[in-house]
Structure formats: C-alpha cells, structure tokens
Amino acid sequence: MKKKIEKKDHLWIPNSEVQKLDKKLTSRPKDRGIQHFEHGKKLSENLQTISKIIENTKEESSLSDPKVLVFKVKLFEGEKIKDKKDLFLSTGLEVKVVKTENNAVVTTTEERFKYLKKRLKNYSNDGSGKTYFDQIEGFDSYTGNEKNSKSLQKKITLKEVPKTLDIQLMFLPNLDKEDYTLAIDNFKEKVRKKGGEIQGKPYCLSDNTPIFRVIIPASTLSCYENDNAIYRIEETDFFGYDLEKTSKLDLKDIEISEDVSLETLPIVTVLDTGIKFPEKLKSLIYASWAPSDLDKGDKDHGTMVASRVVFKYISNRIINNKIIPRARVIDCNIMNGRVSTVEMIQRVQIAVEKFYKISKIYNLSANSLFPIEGDEMSIFGYELDVLQLKYNVQFVVSSGNHNLWESETSLEDILDDDDSRISSPADSMLAIVVGAVTGKDHENSLTKTNEITTYSRRGPGFNGFSKPDIAAYGGVIINSLEKIFTPHDDYSVLLNKNGELITNSGTSFTAPIVAGDLAEILNIIPDKNLLLSKALLYHNSKPLWDEKNLSDEELIHNHNLYGRGISSVDDSKYSSPSKVTFVRTGTLNRLEKERINIYMPKILAEKEGMNKAKVSVTCLTMSSVDRTKGTEYLGAYVRASLKKTGENGNLISVQKNFKENSEKWNVCQQFTKIFSTFNHGDWQIWLEMFSRWEDENKDIPYALVITIEDLSGSLDIYNEIKSQNRYGLLNNNIIRVRNKF
C-alpha cells in the first residue's frame, strides 16, 4: 500500500530575506575599422537601387500622396536596432517594424531621403557621420514576394496556381492616422480596379495596424506585393477543431456528490461551440453567452471540452452513482464550424471583456489549419498575449492536431514532417500551450504510453522557443485495415451533449485538463495570484524522459514534444516533509537586482550518500509584447541563477546543466540541479531583469518558485527550515504584488 504523504503549506519568502541592489548599465562602442570611402560608396549604391525600385513600383503605391518611402535597414551583426535611437533620429529614418534585432523596415520622406544621400556622399568623402554610418551594414528595398508568408509562397509556385487567392493583408505598422486614412482609401479603390473583393470590414490589431481580408485574382498578387502600404500578406486563416466520433458507452443517471460545495469551485471559461450538460449537472455551468450575430454551435465539441475541465478523467470521478466535479465553467459559444482569424479574435475579445472579473482562466481548443512559420508571431497569438496582459487572464490553448497519421506508418516519420509543427494561436508566448501524450498501450497503435500521440502537433514555437509548454494524457487513434477508431481507456472517455460517455481523441481534450489543473491550483493561492499559480504548474510538471545524461539537443527535442511534462496538481499545491517549496512574487526593473535567501537544511547536508539533494528553480515573468518588433517580440525577461554556500560562508555560482529553459528573452527561466556534497546555510537566488523598447524603465512582475528535495524521501527537512522562523506559510500571506499593465 502506497504511503500517504503529509501535505504541508509552501513557504513564503518575505522581504526580509531579499536584498535589493542597484544595477549599473554599461555600453561600449565598437570600432569596426571601416574604410568610409568604400563603405559610403556601397551604402549610396544601395539607396540608388532603392530609388529605382520605388520609381518602378510607384503606380502600385497606396502611400503615394504624401510621399512616404519604405525600405529596410540592416545593422552589422552585434548591433541592435533598439539601441540606435540617435542613429535614426540623425538620419531622418523612422523605424516601423523590427524584423530581427539588427534588421528593420523604416520610412522617410522624399526630402529626408535626398538629405540622407547627401550625408552619405559627405561620409564617403571625409568620414563625417562615421558615428552613425559605421553601424549600418546596408539598405535594401522592401517589395516583392518577401512580404508573402511561406505557405502563400508555396501555393503560388504550384504547377496549377488557383485562379483566386483568399488573403489577409497587413498594413505597415505605426503609420500616422492620416497616412492610414489615405492608404486605406487608395487600397480599396485599387482592389476594385484589380478585380478583387474585400471580405467584411477591416480589422485593426491591438497596436492599431489595419488588416484586410481580400479575395483577388492570383495574377494580381504582385500589385499588392509592391504596394508600400502593405507589410505582410498571408493566406486567410481559419480556426476550428477536429471531431472523430466513436463508440458510445452507457452512462447512468448520475448526480453531483453532496460533499461538493459548488460555490467554492473555481470557474473556467470555455471558448467553444457551446455546452450542454445533463439536467442534473447544469448547475456546473455558471453562465452562458454567445455573440448576437452567431448561429449557435452544435454543443458537441464544447460539451466534451467542458467535461474535461470539470471532471478531468471522468471515469475516475464517479463513485456510487455520484460524480465529483473540480470546477465550474462559463459557456462562451464563439464557434459554429470554421471561423476566420478576425472573427475569432473579435469574439474572444468580447468574451474576455465580459467575464474577466469572474473568470481568470480561458480554454481555447481551436487552431489554424496551417502550421506556424515561426519567424513572425501570428496575428491570433499576438492578440491572445495582449488580452492576457490587459486583463490579467490566462489562456490555455491546444497545440493543434494534424492528419499525418492517416498516411505515415511510424511516429518518427510523422515528427520529421514540417506539417506536424504547432499551429496558431499556439505560438502565443504567454498562453499555456498543451500537447497530447499516449496514456495507455493499445494493440496496433503507433505510440506507446508516455509517447506523444500521433495527432499532436509539436514545436518549436515562435522564434525557435520550445512549445508546447506542458502535456496531458489523451486518447489514441488506431488506424488499422479494418477501421479508424479511438479505443476505450480512462484518457479517451468524455461526456457528450446527449449525456453519454463516448471515446474521442485530440489536443482539444488535453488543453482543458491543464485548464482545470491550473484552476485547482489558483483556487488555493492567496489573492488568486495567477502568475504564481502558473509558475507552480510549470515548476512541478513531471518530465516524461530520463533526466540523466541528457544533452541540450535532446532536452530541446523532448520539450518540443512534451513541454515540461505532465502537470502535478498536488505537488503544485503542497510541500511535504522531504520536499519543501519556497515561493515569492515581486517586480523588477532594469536598474535593480535581487538576491533572495533560501535555507539549505543541515540534516540534508550531513546525510551520507550520493545525489541526495535536488534543487529546482522556476522564474516566470509577464513581459509586454510588440508584434512590430519581429524576433524582438518580448520586451523584457528576468535571468535567474543559483548560488550555494561555500566552506567559508562565501557564495559559489552553481553551473546550470542545460542552456535550454535558461535562454534570453523567454518568459520562463527554469533549471534543476542535483547535489551530493554541499554546505548547509543560506543559499541565494539572484534575479536580474533585462529589457528593451518601452520596457526600459518599467517594473515587470515575476513569480519565483524554488524547491529543495531530499531524494531519499526519509528526512523531515520541512520542520528544520520552518524552525528558522524566517519564512511564512503561503496560505497565511496575502500576495499584494499586482500585474501593472
């Protein structure tokens, strides 16, 4: 019989255990040894080429009056656009979009363009302006098919190109209101003349960038590629879900257990096709809403998703004809079939604005039909990030499904195919993205227990960062000669709209497992601190691989299949005698650092044996985002490092085992270290924030979780740490730090 583990409150790190230090900012100019004559000549030739291209494409321009010239600037490797405000001010260039840290799309006027040419001539002659021009590697035009998404480029190179294209055109960001007004009028007239048709009303992203959906003759695409008002062109994206119905199982007329207090259950908003629970379970639906212009969904997919939020694995929640729910849901019916990007965004925005004061967690089990490209944040992913920052809510999103299992005969071949990559909005940097893992072995299945399912999309996500964030067990798909079906097990059973239990599979049904897990954690955290709850969820996820002797490449591969692993609600909620978790929330800006004390117990340090202590650290931040900054999307991150006590009481840096999960400009820093010999006493976590763009002087919220574990499970290290009387109990503290956005 498994021994019952005593549950203990996590320990709160008070301000008395935190030392704040001022941070000195340094910058050193680089001397590249550039010959100004040759370099100036090259830059002048770049501008001359740009002039010719602008002249040749001026008939396609929607920004022709007033004259606005659009082109690209590339700095030398190691230079950063964000640090060159003086350069752009001096040269009369305005940065509109940052593609990478040293590459940007800029605008200027004809008059300033002529002045720039003149200054380059002087630079070439006598080196004047060296301070600025020595940093610029080159100028280039911004026209042609580089504006097209990769999937669109692929489509127009097919042997048989479709006669018409359904596309989304994004205007150049950060233009003046007057420029947009003129450009939009010119653009509409152009679409009419070129035989196109605008679909619906234009939509403005949260940064006020206009987007149009247009159906055009394929032969006219170049007219839009060469329009200087247009920044990016993509195929119109549609969002939906896959639903593979299988055999039904009898469900008796069950009731909610009397031991459950509905008023104390957390609430999760389900953004889906509507929810229909049996009569005796209707009280688990807190509220229902649908847009007035939407034909109501069929409630089938939404009910199954909601059943996972409420019951997790429903077969395990039924005892003696009574069912034990863990959450309630808000039913937001935003889908009925396939939905375009703009429609999805607008409906989600309305739902969040309507319910954010009641519900902090939003499950979205709908994805694009196409995998992400990764070099640009998707429109929907960006808008989810903006909503999370604006309303302090958390989206839990499915990683998406693919159909490669229909044609491939091995898991390896499936994962090698680029079409298995995650799909929008699963590239959202602030959302929790969930994949699916096989929960049980079945005959004729291509996967075994703890392997990624054959339908689950994998990473990497935006800009190469690992995705998904976490995984959950789901049903498998058997593709045999006889039939295609999802076999029965605890991980495939769901409640459908007819009050029946059926089997089904898909990441649609693993995302709500994690949404419910997060809700359980949030429900016991003081002040319902969402960032700390998410940090605890990430921190305590269980890897599905052997952590010994891994290389960085192997760990990255695992993370792109399984995220951090499978969530553990109990470990996220409680410490134990041999496993002690410290927590803290706060804010940091770029002018300060924090050094945070954690106590390493003496009985653990003196214990004999190898690999006796494990220290795990997770630091999660809520950085601002900016889609116009390209790969510089996140405005800030916090670097976390561990220092242990040496023989003389001095602090010694602890080397991290992996670069993965400690990379720059990610929202989460996470690492684990196992120790055999060490000293007891005060160890420290050092936190330091780095920022760019408008976050330079802004306080960024963070949540920090540290765990010290006796790997033998035999020592009561909790009481020794608690006896220091330095740390409070988490559930006795009110977490006063708020997200400031």
Side-chain angles (χ1 to χ4, degrees), residues 655-668:
Q655 189 70 33
K656 296 175 184 176
N657 293 333
F658 303 102
K659 295 179 181 178
E660 167 74 351
N661 268 357
S662 294
E663 63 265 71
K664 297 178 179 179
W665 308 110
N666 203 348
V667 297
C668 185

Side-chain angles (χ1 to χ4, degrees), residues 328-356:
R328 289 182 290 172
V329 290
I330 293 175
D331 170 18
C332 284
N333 180 186
I334 65 167
M335 288 188 290
N336 183 9
R338 301 293 182 186
V339 184
S340 70
T341 305
V342 169
E343 289 175 314
M344 282 292 287
I345 290 171
Q346 291 174 325
R347 293 170 185 174
V348 170
Q349 286 172 334
I350 296 170
V352 172
E353 187 174 355
K354 187 174 182 65
F355 292 111
Y356 77 94

Side-chain angles (χ1 to χ4, degrees), residues 516-527:
D517 288 350
L518 180 64
E520 287 191 67
I521 299 165
L522 180 67
N523 209 36
I524 72 159
I525 299 298
D527 208 22

